[in-house]
Amino acid sequence: MANADIHPANAPTLAVVVPAFNEAPGLRAFHARLRTVLDAVSGLATRILFVDDGSTDGTAALLEELSQEDAETAFLVLSRNFGKEVAMSAGLDHVDADAVVIIDADLQDPPELIPEMIERWREGYDVVYAQRTARRGESWLKRTTAAGFYRSMRHISTIEIPEDTGDFRLLSRRAVEALRRFRERRRFMKGLYAWIGFKQIAVPYAREPRHAGRSRFNYWRLWNFALEGITSFSTIPLQLFTYLGLTAALLAFGFGAWIIVKTLLWGDPVAGYPSMMVVILFLGGMQLLALGVIGEYLGRLFDESKQRPLYLLERQQTAAADEEAGPTAIDRAHSA
Ligand code: UDP
Ligand code: MG
């Protein structure tokens, strides 16, 4: 906690962004473990920024306590629940540090990995992402669907999303600045991290089961998450129907030609009702599906075109250490 006194005023800074939604039961344990890790880090001034994503279980009150006890802890409270992706973006918007770590509040991401991430960052990497080697406490179905998703993303988009990675990562200042420039409303962070490029490297770790509370990511949410990923980074589903349509048209043409030949050669017996139904239903289904796919994209276009703010803040508490320190690094930069 006395980090600010040990390190000179111009030491590089590390900020840890923690999105938290109804994490009250485990938050104190998380903070203590993170604090232990950060206290052992040398040569860096550290800050913790919690983002309360509209919790209803007293997370905000607990954050208030934590920020009073720890001079290096700050927090934001969003005006309602905006979802993890937006909560992280709010955090990234409000930090001013040379390196930023994003970590879950449920201790599934071990804070003990942070020193190794810092090492890699000092070696010159801009994005140091944690890569799971084991997913303990997650079902077989979740693991296989996740693997399938990454594999198909690699095929249908131009960006390369590393498999078995989450949001747990360290970002350099310029990576954070790059991410801040993305103001899209429907955001798929895993894709954005890959999009920005720069030097990236993995640090392997074993993912723990949730510490307290329960995951909010059920299968329906995961499916929507996957849709978000696909529609944000690929237009292949749209193009797919061009080719399906073309194929269907060619088949229909061939079939038509065959009927003509057949009628000329063998006369014209009454055509079958079942085959008619199959063709009508098949084409009707395909058309609805194609409309649905267009709708997914159109809906997202509609969301973007409204240009609404990404989130609203209910409250913002800066770290006591920053209040004492006077002008922040941003102010210094502006007056220079
Ligand atoms: N989270 C959030 N907003 C939400 C849902 C989750 O900020 O709407 C936070 C949550 O508090 C946790 C992290 O995102 O710190 C990961 O959430 P969770 O553990 O539910 O996801 P999982 O580990 O199952 O991917
Ligand atoms: Mg979790």
Side-chain angles (χ1 to χ4, degrees):
M1 276 157 231
N3 257 357
D5 310 329
I6 305 166
H7 303 298
N10 56 359
T13 45
L14 171 81
V16 181
V17 168
V18 193
F21 175 55
N22 291 347
E23 296 285 2
L27 207 59
R28 209 162 253 288
F30 167 79
H31 182 264
R33 214 167 119 187
L34 178 63
R35 200 59 262 179
T36 316
V37 170
L38 293 185
D39 285 340
V41 168
S42 63
L44 282 178
T46 55
R47 294 287 180 276
I48 304 173
L49 176 65
F50 284 99
V51 183
D52 176 6
D53 187 13
S55 303
T56 50
D57 70 340
T59 297
L62 193 57
L63 288 178
E64 177 78 60
E65 283 173 30
L66 287 175
S67 77
Q68 272 164 17
E69 292 162 20
D70 178 359
E72 294 175 357
T73 294
F75 66 92
L76 301 172
V77 182
L78 304 189
S79 62
R80 62 169 171 86
N81 178 249
F82 283 90
K84 185 187 180 189
E85 312 277 305
V86 170
M88 288 188 292
S89 305
L92 291 183
D93 286 346
H94 288 85
V95 289
D96 170 33
D98 298 302
V100 177
V101 169
I102 302 176
I103 188 169
D104 282 2
D106 59 6
L107 284 174
Q108 278 193 291
D109 303 334
E112 290 72 24
L113 209 63
I114 295 176
E116 199 182 333
M117 291 176 158
I118 296 172
E119 269 328 297
R120 293 281 166 283
W121 167 63
R122 283 182 170 142
E123 285 165 15
Y125 289 96
D126 284 279
V127 179
V128 186
Y129 54 86
Q131 192 160 36
R132 299 182 278 262
T133 52
R135 286 173 158 231
R136 266 176 279 167
E138 289 184 3
S139 68
W140 171 86
L141 189 61
K142 186 161 179 183
R143 273 172 304 165
T144 36
T145 46
F149 170 70
Y150 287 116
R151 207 163 316 120
S152 34
M153 273 307 277
R154 203 165 322 130
H155 288 303
I156 64 171
S157 75
T158 48
I159 51 156
E160 179 95 13
I161 299 178
E163 210 162 311
D164 282 333
T165 60
D167 295 301
F168 185 24
R169 61 188 62 225
L170 180 147
L171 302 159
S172 70
R173 185 183 282 275
R174 65 176 179 172
V176 171
E177 275 164 7
L179 284 172
R180 276 193 201 137
R181 291 171 57 190
F182 291 79
R183 303 316 289 175
E184 52 205 84
R185 308 296 176 287
R186 312 286 295 257
R187 43 189 44 229
F188 181 65
M189 291 298 284
K190 281 185 213 195
L192 298 184
Y193 299 132
W195 194 100
I196 61 168
F198 295 126
K199 273 179 83 181
Q200 310 210 356
I201 196 167
V203 172
Y205 78 110
R207 189 164 171 85
E208 302 289 332
R210 218 168 202 292
H211 180 71
R214 52 190 286 265
S215 170
R216 251 84 43 179
F217 288 85
N218 57 30
Y219 285 105
W220 178 244
R221 279 184 83 158
L222 283 176
W223 161 248
N224 280 307
F225 192 63
L227 269 190
E228 210 62 71
I230 293 166
T231 51
S232 310
F233 285 93
S234 170
T235 50
I236 283 188
L238 285 172
Q239 288 161 353
L240 197 68
F241 282 97
T242 313
Y243 298 102
L244 273 178
L246 195 67
T247 317
L250 286 176
L251 285 176
F253 187 76
F255 188 52
W258 161 242
I259 288 176
I260 291 172
V261 171
K262 201 177 70 163
T263 314
L264 288 177
L265 293 182
W266 295 292
D268 185 19
V270 177
Y273 169 80
S275 56
M276 194 90 101
M277 277 315 279
V278 168
V279 171
I280 290 174
L281 288 179
F282 174 72
L283 288 183
M286 276 237 302
Q287 279 166 5
L288 286 180
L289 193 62
L291 278 179
V293 171
I294 295 173
E296 290 288 337
Y297 283 91
L298 191 64
R300 283 166 172 80
L301 203 58
F302 178 60
D303 273 354
E304 294 300 330
S305 70
K306 283 182 285 194
Q307 291 288 308
R308 287 181 181 162
L310 214 51
Y311 55 85
L312 292 177
L313 291 185
E314 153 94 36
R315 168 139 204 239
Q316 178 176 4
Q317 176 65 54
T318 48
D322 288 323
E323 282 164 2
E324 288 157 17
T328 63
I330 286 184
D331 296 332
R332 280 199 299 277
H334 284 310
S335 57

